[in-house]
Amino acid sequence: MAELTEIDDPDDPRLGDYTALTDVELRRRLEPAEGLFIAEGEKVIRRARQAGYPMRSMMLTPRWVEVMRDVIDGATAPVYVVSPELAERVTGYHVHRGALAAMERRPLPSPDELIAGARRLAVLEGVNDHTNLGAVFRGAAALGMDAVLLSPNCADPLYRRAVKVSMGAVFSVPYARLASWPRDLQAVRDAGFAVLALTPREEAVPLAEAAPHRLDRCALMLGAEGTGLTPRALAAADTWVRIPMAHEVDSLNVAAAAAVAFYAVSPAGAPGG
Amino acid sequence: MAELTEIDDPDDPRLGDYTALTDVELRRRLEPAEGLFIAEGEKVIRRARQAGYPMRSMMLTPRWVEVMRDVIDGATAPVYVVSPELAERVTGYHVHRGALAAMERRPLPSPDELIAGARRLAVLEGVNDHTNLGAVFRGAAALGMDAVLLSPNCADPLYRRAVKVSMGAVFSVPYARLASWPRDLQAVRDAGFAVLALTPREEAVPLAEAAPHRLDRCALMLGAEGTGLTPRALAAADTWVRIPMAHEVDSLNVAAAAAVAFYAVSPAGAPGG
């Protein structure tokens, strides 16, 4: 059972993991370097635990101590109880869900490992908005994608905002980072995957016509909101697919486009009579 | 051509339409009562104009005057030029895209009018989060839904945040508000629509099995994030459909679920060989 410690000094070094959470640049450097990430809110903390991530500590406001009692009882990591005001002072924002946990990262699987075990892969290029990245993971989890491969310039799925928006899906969908982009896509192709690139370009085949749910192994490549896939990534794909659009709309939001495409490549997307 | 007026007094009554934009409750009362809405950012303002909404005024920071020159030249409404600091003081937030327009609402079409002209209807119940509502409209526009019907307790599609997230899709997809819920669904059914309710319930038919793209006239009913459709709404549907989910995820975000469902009911969702 974890020990509860009340802290009332915002400079207490035991709260170091929770400082300046809104300083994106600082946290981007600090968290991977320290091997930690922040899980926020009851549900997300529980899912991180269930996924087996070791806990370094929790920082709770008093009203969350009872809610998290079973987690506290099942953990050995220290639990720091702080006032809402202190939580705000340390983190830099009003912690709406007054439960934060500092969790330990684990080594990522290798891309080869994920490729070997998967039939449906999402491959993301340059998705560096944490909200979009989290939302794409949520869709990937819900719609049964087996794994996610990230280009080197994708954002960190364990960044607090990505974790939160994903509702913890970043813990359940395994992911790996490709070292050389787009060259490492060759390993995907070598494993027998058809590599489909999602693009609004007119030359692309409508998604339904490509009937990707019939493919034995399918990797679906998505770019960032706005810019989309780079020419190099498009050139590395086997097939370009598009979601037919109406109403002169620019495009779907990347998370919505991803959900449609994940649905279309999943066995669930196989149409009935 | 519109007249440019520099204003440096935050209490100038000509800026009244732009006051306290972050005060959701105030704006919720003020905007419909005054028959106005706020369009934010160059793209959204242009789309509101293209859709034919009359402009009451614009409030621009100096650097946006040149960008919006053609809009200014084509309008007769006054244009107020203010410093970024004044814009922030009046609106209550840092106006990142320094172009705001106060536009005039128009009378909504009647539900009957929309029902008569449509083959694909989205019917929303209790979607009162402006971000979600805007995102659902964006998906509806992109994926070719003909119109949206709103239950009485849905949020206002012309609220600034909804307009912005929709990228102006609230101007291109016609919508109407039903007066009596769910009773007015009868008019939808009377017009020959199959009414499909999207729900995660296990008893529901997988979306692809229902093959909704084959329906001549299809109304797709969606509830709010989290709570979903009420039992009364579910009871009023002809068929319950679900998006098959994996990985023990709660659900997709409502905008992602809507996009998947809009895709599945559209002719574009008709699968190829």
Side-chain angles (χ1 to χ4, degrees):
Chain A
M1 188 179 136
E3 198 176 328
L4 266 70
T5 310
E6 284 185 37
I7 295 185
D8 53 16
D9 173 6
D11 297 321
D12 191 307
R14 290 172 293 183
L15 301 181
D17 284 354
Y18 304 98
T19 49
L21 291 185
T22 56
D23 185 336
V24 180
E25 278 315 313
L26 170 71
R27 300 300 303 194
R28 248 187 214 148
R29 286 194 307 273
L30 178 76
E31 294 185 7
E34 300 265 319
L36 79 93
F37 70 94
I38 300 292
E40 182 176 14
E42 180 194 353
K43 204 175 264 188
V44 166
I45 294 173
R46 289 185 187 281
R47 289 183 178 166
R49 292 281 291 165
Q50 277 158 20
Y53 286 93
M55 188 180 278
R56 288 158 67 113
S57 69
M58 276 200 291
M59 182 173 85
L60 304 176
T61 55
R63 62 175 290 253
W64 287 92
V65 171
E66 274 323 298
V67 178
M68 300 299 277
R69 177 59 65 186
D70 58 313
V71 177
I72 296 169
D73 288 348
T76 53
V79 177
Y80 306 122
V81 182
V82 302
S83 69
E85 295 70 31
L86 190 80
E88 181 163 351
R89 195 137 162 227
V90 170
T91 61
Y93 71 110
H94 175 69
V95 183
H96 179 62
R97 296 181 180 123
L100 292 168
M103 312 291 297
E104 279 178 26
R105 289 173 186 247
R106 294 181 302 194
L108 291 184
S110 74
D112 288 347
E113 209 176 311
L114 293 188
I115 292 167
R119 290 191 55 218
R120 292 291 178 264
L121 283 174
V123 183
L124 308 183
E125 184 193 38
V127 179
N128 47 29
D129 176 279
H130 291 111
T131 301
N132 285 341
L133 186 66
V136 169
F137 265 87
R138 186 174 172 189
L143 294 162
M145 301 299 284
D146 296 317
V148 175
L149 297 179
L150 304 171
S151 75
N153 61 341
C154 279
D156 175 11
L158 292 183
Y159 188 79
R160 179 174 55 96
R161 175 104 194 120
V163 170
K164 187 175 171 179
V165 171
S166 85
M167 309 269 288
V170 291
F171 310 139
S172 56
V173 183
Y175 64 91
R177 208 174 274 275
L178 298 175
S180 174
W181 181 262
R183 198 179 348 164
D184 286 353
L185 285 173
Q186 192 54 47
V188 176
R189 214 181 339 253
D190 288 348
F193 281 84
V195 178
L196 272 52
L198 194 71
T199 168
R201 295 189 182 210
E202 279 197 23
E203 315 92 283
V205 183
L207 189 53
E209 246 174 62
H213 59 279
R214 293 173 184 264
L215 295 169
D216 180 38
R217 306 188 92 184
C218 175
L220 190 76
M221 192 158 53
L222 295 153
E225 177 104 15
T227 52
L229 291 167
T230 60
R232 292 199 311 152
L234 285 168
D238 297 312
T239 311
W240 295 359
V241 293
R242 66 181 165 87
I243 300 168
M245 300 279 175
H247 276 105
E248 294 176 29
V249 169
D250 289 325
S251 67
L252 287 168
N253 162 279
V254 63
V260 168
F262 295 159
Y263 175 74
V265 304
S266 76
Chain B
M1 187 179 135
E3 198 178 329
L4 265 71
T5 309
E6 284 185 38
I7 295 185
D8 54 16
D9 174 5
D11 297 323
D12 191 307
R14 291 173 291 183
L15 301 181
D17 283 355
Y18 304 98
T19 49
L21 292 184
T22 54
D23 186 335
V24 180
E25 277 316 311
L26 171 70
R27 301 298 306 192
R28 247 188 215 149
R29 285 194 307 274
L30 178 76
E31 295 185 5
E34 300 265 318
L36 79 95
F37 70 93
I38 299 292
E40 182 177 13
E42 181 195 353
K43 203 174 262 186
V44 166
I45 293 173
R46 290 184 187 281
R47 288 183 180 165
R49 293 281 291 164
Q50 278 158 20
Y53 286 94
M55 188 180 277
R56 289 157 69 113
S57 69
M58 277 199 290
M59 183 173 85
L60 304 177
T61 56
R63 63 175 290 253
W64 286 91
V65 171
E66 274 323 298
V67 178
M68 300 299 278
R69 176 59 65 183
D70 58 312
V71 178
I72 296 169
D73 288 348
T76 53
V79 177
Y80 306 122
V81 183
V82 302
S83 68
E85 295 70 33
L86 190 80
E88 180 163 349
R89 200 143 153 220
V90 170
T91 61
Y93 70 109
H94 175 69
V95 183
H96 178 63
R97 296 182 180 120
L100 292 167
M103 312 291 296
E104 280 180 22
R105 289 174 186 247
R106 293 183 303 194
L108 291 183
S110 74
D112 287 347
E113 210 176 310
L114 294 188
I115 291 166
R119 292 190 55 219
R120 292 290 178 266
L121 283 174
V123 183
L124 308 183
E125 184 193 39
V127 178
N128 48 29
D129 176 279
H130 291 111
T131 301
N132 285 341
L133 186 65
V136 168
F137 266 87
R138 186 175 173 189
L143 296 162
M145 301 300 283
D146 296 317
V148 175
L149 297 179
L150 304 171
S151 74
N153 61 341
C154 278
D156 175 11
L158 292 183
Y159 188 79
R160 179 174 56 96
R161 175 105 193 119
V163 172
K164 188 175 173 181
V165 171
S166 85
M167 308 271 287
V170 292
F171 310 138
S172 57
V173 183
Y175 65 90
R177 207 174 276 275
L178 298 175
S180 174
W181 181 263
R183 199 181 344 165
D184 286 353
L185 284 173
Q186 192 54 46
V188 176
R189 214 183 337 254
D190 288 347
F193 281 83
V195 179
L196 272 52
L198 194 70
T199 168
R201 292 189 184 212
E202 279 198 23
E203 315 92 284
V205 182
L207 189 53
E209 246 174 61
H213 60 279
R214 294 176 182 263
L215 294 169
D216 180 38
R217 306 189 92 185
C218 174
L220 190 75
M221 191 158 53
L222 294 153
E225 176 105 16
T227 51
L229 291 167
T230 61
R232 291 198 313 152
L234 285 168
D238 297 311
T239 311
W240 295 358
V241 293
R242 65 182 165 88
I243 299 169
M245 302 280 176
H247 276 107
E248 295 176 32
V249 169
D250 288 325
S251 67
L252 287 167
N253 163 278
V254 64
V260 168
F262 295 160
Y263 174 75
V265 304
S266 77

